[in-house]
Amino acid sequence: MCQAQDLTIPLWNDSVPNQRKTSEQEIATKTDILRIGNVQTPTLACYFPPDSINTRKAIIICPGGSYKILAYNLEGTTIAKWFQERGIAAFVLKYRLPTSSSLVTPHKAPLQDLQKAVRLVRHKAADWQISENDIGVMGFSAGGHLASTLGVHYHEEMYQPRVLEDSLSARPDFMALLYPVITMNATYAHKGSIHNLLGDSPSQTLLDYYSNEQYVNSQTPPTFLVHATDDRGVPVENTLAFYQRLKEVGVPVEMHLYQEGGHGFGIAANNKLLHTWIDLLYNWILNIDNQ
């Protein structure tokens, strides 16, 4: 296998489900963060480790951005390269955003794309030297909401099966959620993510469906949680609620809360306190079979 980014592949080889043709164009703006909006062609950027250090584990990364943009490098490619260098195959998902006018049923599109990504990686596991039972998902902020939505709704048919891989399980083998949006109901819900995902006046049914703490059960994947207590964007109560439910039903869960860090800190390489989270996660992933 070569190093750095090996390839980027489209998720859907034929027409993209739940999407109509419009004049809308994808937007990418680069300052300190590469922000991608109006995703029209969802893709998977693949980062394979050298054979000599390959752990045969894999992780699919969902960048955050309030379901309006994707913080593609901060919470995507930078993280993927870190794992690649340590023997874990990493995939950055460029998923469709529900603010796009190209979508028929906007709130379904992100979960459709993540379900497809897990099935695609599982289908390609042998070719890519990955264990088909060691494929996790990781998400930051709204990407953490997407990852946790898959963790509790993986078994639901979100699109019509078309090819062989669509018959495979979309259940991730583990989850890592970084300062995640979890609930859509409580006082600590993130209003921007609710608005972008569900629109101006969502029904109570939709608010409940995407309040992921309500759907945790014993089959929810083992989970690693990270949050800063002083997060004013997505309050730490989101992570606490998910942790409590996982604990109640006996799902293996590890949680790390930092006193300071705010929201959207990414890998936090230059922060002497926060930077420890990714090493803790790496060790947890390597030992997940023992939990």
Side-chain angles (χ1 to χ4, degrees):
M1 292 285 184
C2 54
Q3 296 187 51
Q5 184 178 329
D6 289 271
L7 73 160
T8 297
I9 58 175
L11 277 185
W12 310 93
N13 286 328
D14 46 9
S15 61
V16 181
N18 187 29
Q19 186 163 303
R20 55 183 166 240
K21 288 187 177 181
T22 68
S23 60
E24 195 172 48
Q25 299 291 314
E26 184 171 299
I27 299 171
T29 58
K30 177 71 182 292
T31 53
D32 55 328
I33 299 172
L34 173 59
R35 295 173 172 86
I36 297 177
N38 290 340
V39 173
Q40 302 298 299
T41 304
T43 60
L44 205 58
C46 310
Y47 295 78
F48 299 115
D51 293 342
S52 59
I53 61 169
N54 186 8
T55 64
R56 298 187 64 83
K57 294 178 180 285
I59 193 160
I60 300 167
I61 303 166
C62 304
S66 298
Y67 281 119
K68 186 174 184 179
I69 59 96
L70 302 178
Y72 194 73
N73 56 350
L74 175 70
E75 297 170 347
T77 56
T78 299
I79 309 298
K81 292 172 186 175
W82 191 96
F83 280 110
Q84 177 193 41
E85 291 169 358
R86 290 158 181 82
I88 295 177
F91 303 86
V92 182
L93 177 62
K94 187 175 74 174
Y95 57 92
R96 289 171 293 163
L97 297 158
T99 52
S100 169
S101 62
S102 300
L103 301 176
V104 179
T105 307
H107 68 87
K108 289 186 177 182
L111 185 54
Q112 289 173 324
D113 290 347
L114 185 52
Q115 278 194 349
K116 180 68 170 183
V118 172
R119 289 174 171 139
L120 179 58
V121 173
R122 191 157 275 143
H123 177 66
K124 294 281 192 178
D127 293 341
W128 290 344
Q129 300 179 50
I130 294 166
S131 169
E132 64 181 20
N133 298 316
D134 273 321
I135 300 168
V137 295
M138 179 180 192
F140 296 78
S141 192
H145 182 265
L146 174 56
S148 63
T149 302
L150 179 68
V152 297
H153 293 304
Y154 59 85
H155 56 287
E156 298 182 21
E157 186 176 285
M158 298 303 296
Y159 62 90
Q160 191 68 33
R162 301 176 179 182
V163 292
L164 180 62
E165 68 213 38
D166 293 335
S167 65
L168 299 177
S169 172
R171 181 185 182 274
D173 296 296
F174 59 89
M175 297 193 294
L177 309 178
L178 282 294
Y179 39 88
V181 175
I182 292 293
T183 190
M184 298 274 157
N185 272 319
T187 56
Y188 47 83
H190 183 245
K191 292 180 174 56
S193 293
I194 296 173
H195 173 77
N196 292 328
L197 181 64
L198 302 180
D200 292 331
S201 302
S203 68
Q204 190 59 51
T205 299
L206 275 180
L207 290 169
D208 288 342
Y209 182 85
Y210 286 106
S211 290
N212 294 331
E213 78 283 2
Q214 296 186 26
Y215 291 89
V216 170
N217 60 38
S218 61
Q219 299 306 304
T220 304
T223 303
F224 187 95
L225 296 160
V226 177
H227 220 119
T229 304
D230 67 346
D231 190 334
R232 295 183 180 179
V234 177
V236 70
E237 283 82 2
N238 283 267
T239 282
L240 294 173
F242 205 64
Y243 171 83
Q244 185 61 38
R245 285 294 298 132
L246 291 165
K247 182 173 176 289
E248 286 172 0
V249 300
V251 171
V253 57
E254 184 167 323
M255 178 173 63
H256 294 273
L257 302 181
Y258 290 85
Q259 179 178 336
E260 297 178 347
H263 188 72
F265 48 77
I267 204 166
N270 297 320
N271 187 303
K272 63 181 180 181
L273 180 64
L274 282 173
H275 82 274
T276 59
W277 74 260
I278 198 163
D279 286 303
L280 293 168
L281 171 58
Y282 178 70
N283 290 331
W284 182 82
I285 291 173
L286 291 186
N287 292 286
I288 194 67
D289 291 339
N290 298 325
Q291 298 190 41

